[in-house]
Amino acid sequence: MQGGAASTASALYSPSAVRTPSLQQLSQSAAKFNLDIDEAELKQYQDVIKEALVSYDRVDKMTEPIPAVKWPRTPGWRPDPEDNPHNAWYFRTEITGASTGKLHGKTVAIKDNVAVAGVPMMNGSRIMEGYVPDYDATIVTRILDAGGSIKGKSSCEDLCLSGDSFTSVTGPVLNAHDRTRSAGGSSSGSATLLALEQVDMATGGDQGGSIRIPAAWSGVVGLKPTYGLVPYTGCVPVDITLDHVGPMARTVDDVALMLEVIAGYDNGLDPRQPANLTVPEYTKQLTGDLGGIRVGLLKEGFGTSHIYNVINEGCLETMIKGNGLGVGWKGFYPTSMLDALAKGYRTRAHDMPPTGKFTYLLYDCITTNYGNRFYAKGQNLSRMLTHAYNQALSRYDVIIMPTIPFKATKLPNKDISTSEICKMALNFGQMSNVCPFNLTGHPALSINAGFSQGLPVGMMIVGRHFDDATVLKVAHAFENIRDSKI
């Protein structure tokens, strides 16, 4: 009976998943590739294409696997302005994880570029407005499995395309130390909530410094882990070669604890265990007595920023042309997110931030005229940069530098021009120290080194690939030295 029912159902009408392209559409597609095909030949291709589309119908009727949502929750609520004076929360929730675990008793904010099932997700942008994921990002599941309590989604910059904190459509995120200044972006809400002590830990995303910039300007700890150490599954990508997600907290201990959970470490990751350095060597490194290190490609000033700028062309292929996910990588593709982004870019393109429109215009013109040649050359140069830093790190356990060359800047007034928005949000002077390690994939941590005229100053510690533990140990040693002088 079951086989007969299935056979009967297959013989009945069912709407096709995709429509057969018209001859006019095929002609337009041919023109894009400079193909001159007459109508008679196009009709032959149309017949073959119609047969190929059967596969699309079959795949559409299959049930795709979606990660199970393990922990119950309600959709949460959008906080009232009086309960959110710094605009650091996008959405509030109360999601309780396991009753025991490494994060039991810890409160966590999730950056709003990370999917939490059943909770609205906006990525700081009207492009995704109204989207509610049906799955948890891998790191969310791991946080809840470890007993963490998720208190909400933290605000982030519009499409995460800003190192400043004024582009989110829900309003500018105000610096916890001076409400007239930027909190840094794009993980602006996470850093501010930590500085205000509203949560113990938070997640951040980092494509060009977006964990470390707000950590520096907000006076907290933020780690961009080694590339690939923490799964990015369920987070909105920018370019898969630049995308990182990592922990933020007020202390190195809590950053280490969160990294242990979201990276899936089986063994403990205790930054209090000393690295293979003596105390005098620690002190020597942490007080700058080693002198400056020159990395070959840095000798032309912001040379790495130029490489980063060219590789950022991947944003166009992933975010806009790739409808937010891109292709060519193994793993879970959240199709509901793809549909939301595709619809948003198609129907609300004018709602993209100026940084998004700049990205589209620049890289569409470049790829139309030159293909992906410059992107490819930038990726090749980034390999040289990686080798240069590996050489430096073969001589030293870590490299230490300012996270950002200047303190938190003033937030702009509402009469700011489009060009000023782009220049402030994509300030390569601001990104000059941080973006190289998105290119090279080295672990890089920002920690508060003190205050200048009431504003935090960040220090960045960079280590060898997959030696995040040493970075954390050096940061912990510095934290002890710093706090002993207070």
Side-chain angles (χ1 to χ4, degrees), residues 121-123 125-129 131 135 159 235-238 318-326 334-349 352:
M121 180 180 188
M122 203 172 181
N123 199 26
S125 180
R126 290 189 177 92
I127 295 294
M128 291 190 73
E129 191 170 18
Y131 174 59
Y135 57 93
L159 299 177
C235 308
V236 182
V238 174
T318 300
M319 296 177 64
I320 300 175
K321 290 186 176 180
N323 296 321
L325 292 180
T335 50
S336 64
M337 179 194 290
L338 187 151
D339 287 341
L341 285 163
K343 181 179 179 181
Y345 285 126
R346 188 169 58 251
T347 63
R348 305 192 67 171
M352 278 198 298

Side-chain angles (χ1 to χ4, degrees), residues 111 156-168 173 181-188 205-218 308 312 355 404 406-409 411 421-431 434:
K111 182 180 177 180
C156 66
E157 298 310 296
D158 198 327
L159 299 177
C160 294
L161 295 178
S162 173
D164 224 302
S165 71
F166 64 86
T167 68
S168 175
V173 179
R181 293 182 183 270
S182 171
S186 63
S187 307
S188 43
D206 197 313
Q207 284 80 22
S210 289
I211 288 175
R212 292 157 290 156
I213 292 171
W217 279 1
S218 300
Y308 176 85
N312 223 24
T355 50
I404 309 172
F406 45 86
K407 294 177 292 186
T409 54
L411 289 166
I421 289 173
C422 292
K423 288 175 182 177
M424 284 190 68
L426 304 173
N427 183 337
F428 288 109
Q430 179 192 42
M431 297 166 62
V434 290

Side-chain angles (χ1 to χ4, degrees), residues 35-351:
L35 296 174
D36 185 12
I37 303 176
D38 63 30
E39 186 171 327
E41 189 176 0
L42 278 178
K43 181 65 174 66
Q44 296 182 59
Y45 282 116
Q46 185 185 46
D47 292 340
V48 179
I49 287 171
K50 188 173 182 178
E51 294 177 13
L53 294 183
V54 172
S55 297
Y56 288 80
D57 273 330
R58 292 292 298 275
V59 168
D60 185 60
K61 289 177 173 61
M62 297 176 186
T63 301
E64 62 180 305
I66 298 176
V69 178
K70 299 171 62 175
W71 302 99
R73 78 283 308 270
T74 60
W77 67 96
R78 181 89 174 95
D80 294 327
E82 57 268 24
D83 297 324
N84 192 25
H86 289 75
N87 292 323
W89 288 111
Y90 165 53
F91 231 74
R92 296 301 310 272
T93 61
E94 287 288 345
I95 306 176
T96 303
S99 57
T100 60
K102 295 173 181 177
L103 299 186
H104 182 64
K106 296 290 187 180
T107 56
V108 184
I110 304 294
K111 182 180 177 180
D112 193 40
N113 73 329
V114 179
V116 179
V119 179
M121 180 180 188
M122 203 172 181
N123 199 26
S125 180
R126 290 189 177 92
I127 295 294
M128 291 190 73
E129 191 170 18
Y131 174 59
V132 180
D134 53 354
Y135 57 93
D136 282 335
T138 301
I139 61 171
V140 170
T141 300
R142 289 179 176 180
I143 287 167
L144 293 171
D145 284 349
S149 176
I150 294 176
K151 294 297 183 181
K153 303 292 292 292
S154 59
S155 299
C156 66
E157 298 310 296
D158 198 327
L159 299 177
C160 294
L161 295 178
S162 173
D164 224 302
S165 71
F166 64 86
T167 68
S168 175
V169 297
T170 56
V173 179
L174 313 182
N175 191 298
H177 302 276
D178 181 343
R179 290 164 55 89
T180 69
R181 293 182 183 270
S182 171
S186 63
S187 307
S188 43
S190 291
T192 298
L193 292 171
L194 289 167
L196 295 172
E197 300 187 9
Q198 294 195 22
V199 290
D200 299 317
M201 303 171 170
T203 67
D206 197 313
Q207 284 80 22
S210 289
I211 288 175
R212 292 157 290 156
I213 292 171
W217 279 1
S218 300
V220 299
V221 185
L223 172 67
K224 182 202 76 64
T226 298
Y227 179 76
L229 180 63
V230 178
Y232 202 80
T233 307
C235 308
V236 182
V238 174
D239 176 280
I240 58 174
T241 69
L242 303 175
D243 291 328
H244 298 71
V245 62
M248 303 175 72
R250 282 184 296 278
T251 67
V252 175
D253 276 349
D254 275 351
V255 163
L257 183 61
M258 191 175 188
L259 178 65
E260 185 179 334
V261 168
I262 62 177
Y265 278 119
D266 293 326
N267 300 318
L269 183 64
D270 187 353
R272 293 167 295 186
Q273 295 295 321
N276 296 321
L277 298 169
T278 64
V279 172
E281 286 174 320
Y282 267 136
T283 306
K284 192 176 182 182
Q285 289 202 16
L286 298 175
T287 55
D289 291 342
L290 288 175
I293 298 174
R294 268 215 181 276
V295 175
L297 290 176
L298 297 181
K299 63 185 178 183
E300 297 178 0
F302 294 157
T304 53
S305 294
H306 294 312
I307 299 171
Y308 176 85
N309 196 12
V310 169
I311 288 179
N312 223 24
E313 182 184 300
C315 293
L316 176 69
E317 303 298 330
T318 300
M319 296 177 64
I320 300 175
K321 290 186 176 180
N323 296 321
L325 292 180
V327 296
W329 51 274
K330 290 287 188 181
F332 169 62
Y333 283 67
T335 50
S336 64
M337 179 194 290
L338 187 151
D339 287 341
L341 285 163
K343 181 179 179 181
Y345 285 126
R346 188 169 58 251
T347 63
R348 305 192 67 171
H350 285 291
D351 286 333

Side-chain angles (χ1 to χ4, degrees), residues 424-464:
M424 284 190 68
L426 304 173
N427 183 337
F428 288 109
Q430 179 192 42
M431 297 166 62
S432 59
N433 284 359
V434 290
C435 73
F437 305 107
N438 293 88
L439 299 174
T440 69
H442 292 95
L445 176 147
S446 181
I447 185 170
N448 179 244
F451 289 80
S452 173
Q453 298 177 320
L455 295 174
V457 176
M459 181 179 80
M460 187 164 64
I461 305 169
V462 181
R464 303 178 185 115

